[in-house]
């Protein structure tokens, strides 16, 4: 019994930190998924991924709600992107059966390095919120970005939130704070799409999922409040830290 309590305590701590990081720039899966696989090695991978998604969707939804109350949300961009992400996330999950995911690692590593280098080089990148598109062009970009990231999140996943933030800034002219806020709406959609497969098939651990969800929400409250108080410059800094961690992880796994 004490061993079970210790495991739940460690998983809850990982969820707290994951919720904090994820609410600012994404990347919570870098923390929660390794913790689940390390502490529960006997469980099926699908069960651990399902447990992670349950925890994440609560934290991400909480962050999205807090951002929407304090930041003027770009709904005309965000909602179409979220709908496309939901649909393509499910397709991405189906594609796991016939596409070797390992082929993606070198490509994702190159994209991460390119994103980080671009942000380091462009000091003003994401500093000013200046939406660039409207009408059909905005809708087309939103559907394309949402669909691409949704497919990636359903198929592979790590770094999806960070890629979303980069794309919202690059293609829509958002600042880091608005991009982070918009990315949470899209992340909620992709998480719900994944859960529509995991939950009906019983791929989750109820007690661990509940405990982790509670602490993930607590972490997201802290992270969201800090991001709103410190602004885009702070989000940019945390973004670069998380993307650097993703680069190191992908480089380690690839080579």
């Amino acid at each position: 019994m004490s061993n079970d309590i210790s495991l739940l305590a460690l998983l809850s701590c990982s969820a707290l930190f994951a919720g904090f990081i994820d609410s600012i720039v994404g990347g919570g899966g870098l923390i929660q998924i390794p913790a689940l696989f390390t502490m529960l090695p006997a469980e099926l991978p699908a069960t651990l991924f399902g447990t992670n998604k349950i925890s994440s969707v609560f934290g991400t939804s909480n962050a999205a709600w807090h951002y929407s109350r304090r930041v003027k949300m770009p709904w005309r961009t965000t909602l179409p992107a979220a709908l496309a992400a939901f649909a393509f996330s499910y397709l991405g999950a189906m594609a796991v059966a016939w596409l070797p995911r390992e082929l993606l690692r070198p490509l994702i590593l190159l994209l991460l390095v390119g994103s980080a280098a671009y942000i380091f080089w462009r000091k003003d990148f994401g500093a000013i919120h200046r939406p660039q598109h409207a009408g059909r062009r905005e809708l087309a970009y939103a559907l394309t970005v949402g669909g691409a990231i949704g497919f990636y999140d359903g198929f592979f996943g790590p770094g999806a939130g960070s890629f979303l933030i980069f794309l919202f800034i690059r293609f829509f002219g958002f600042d880091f704070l608005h991009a982070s806020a918009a990315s949470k709406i899209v992340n909620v959609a992709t998480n719900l799409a994944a859960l529509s497969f995991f939950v009906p098939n019983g791929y989750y651990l109820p007690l661990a999922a509940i405990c982790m969800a509670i602490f993930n929400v607590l972490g997201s409250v802290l992270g969201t409040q800090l991001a709103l108080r410190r602004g885009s410059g702070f989000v940019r800094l945390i973004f670069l830290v998380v993307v650097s961690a993703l680069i190191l992880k992908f480089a380690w796994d690839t080579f």
Side-chain angles (χ1 to χ4, degrees), residues 93-105:
M94 293 171 59
V96 172
W98 52 273
L99 281 176
R101 294 192 297 174
E102 293 304 314
L103 292 179
L104 272 183
R105 289 191 184 277

Side-chain angles (χ1 to χ4, degrees), residues 74-88 135-148 168 172 185-186 189:
W75 293 112
R76 289 189 305 177
T77 298
T78 306
L79 289 180
L83 291 172
F86 182 90
F88 279 82
R136 292 181 179 178
R137 182 186 291 262
E138 180 183 25
L139 177 61
Y141 273 116
L143 292 174
T144 301
V145 168
F168 273 130
F172 296 98
I185 305 295
V186 181

Side-chain angles (χ1 to χ4, degrees), residues 5-244:
I5 293 173
S6 298
L7 282 175
L8 285 175
L10 290 170
L11 288 172
S12 297
C13 288
S14 72
L16 178 71
F17 188 41
F20 177 81
I21 294 297
D22 203 66
S23 66
I24 303 173
V25 292
L30 279 176
I31 302 162
Q32 280 195 162
I33 292 175
L36 283 162
F37 273 83
T38 299
M39 297 176 205
L40 300 169
E43 297 292 341
L44 290 173
T47 300
L48 300 181
F49 280 117
T51 303
N52 170 68
K53 286 296 185 184
I54 291 174
S55 171
S56 297
V57 76
F58 280 97
T60 306
S61 298
N62 176 77
W65 180 68
H66 278 282
Y67 277 121
S68 67
R69 294 179 63 200
R70 299 275 299 277
V71 173
K72 186 177 180 180
M73 294 291 289
W75 293 112
R76 289 189 305 177
T77 298
T78 306
L79 289 180
L83 291 172
F86 182 90
F88 279 82
S89 179
Y90 198 85
L91 292 176
M94 293 171 59
V96 172
W98 52 273
L99 281 176
R101 294 192 297 174
E102 293 304 314
L103 292 179
L104 272 183
R105 289 191 184 277
L107 174 60
I108 300 304
L109 179 59
L110 286 174
L111 290 174
L112 286 168
V113 171
S115 299
Y118 187 84
I119 294 169
F120 272 117
W121 177 58
R122 288 279 305 274
K123 301 298 182 183
D124 61 337
F125 185 75
I128 300 173
H129 185 62
R130 194 167 10 196
Q132 296 177 349
H133 305 294
R136 292 181 179 178
R137 182 186 291 262
E138 180 183 25
L139 177 61
Y141 273 116
L143 292 174
T144 301
V145 168
I149 294 297
F151 185 87
Y152 171 73
D153 196 35
F155 180 68
F156 197 62
S162 300
F163 278 129
L164 262 176
I165 290 173
F166 178 83
L167 292 173
F168 273 130
I169 297 170
R170 177 63 182 83
F171 290 103
F172 296 98
F174 294 178
D175 63 10
F176 269 99
L177 187 61
H178 283 82
S180 181
S183 73
K184 300 301 169 287
I185 305 295
V186 181
N187 279 150
V188 170
T190 58
N191 284 339
L192 289 175
L195 288 175
S196 68
F197 170 76
F198 288 125
V199 172
N201 288 287
Y203 290 127
Y204 65 98
L205 301 170
L207 184 57
I210 291 171
C211 291
M212 292 178 73
I214 291 170
F215 280 86
N216 196 286
V217 169
L218 289 175
S220 78
V221 170
L222 296 173
T224 306
Q225 289 179 348
L226 191 58
L228 288 168
R229 187 164 65 247
R230 300 290 295 275
S232 288
F234 173 75
V235 177
R236 178 182 185 274
L237 175 62
I238 301 300
F239 179 89
L240 287 171
V241 171
V242 170
V243 169
S244 297

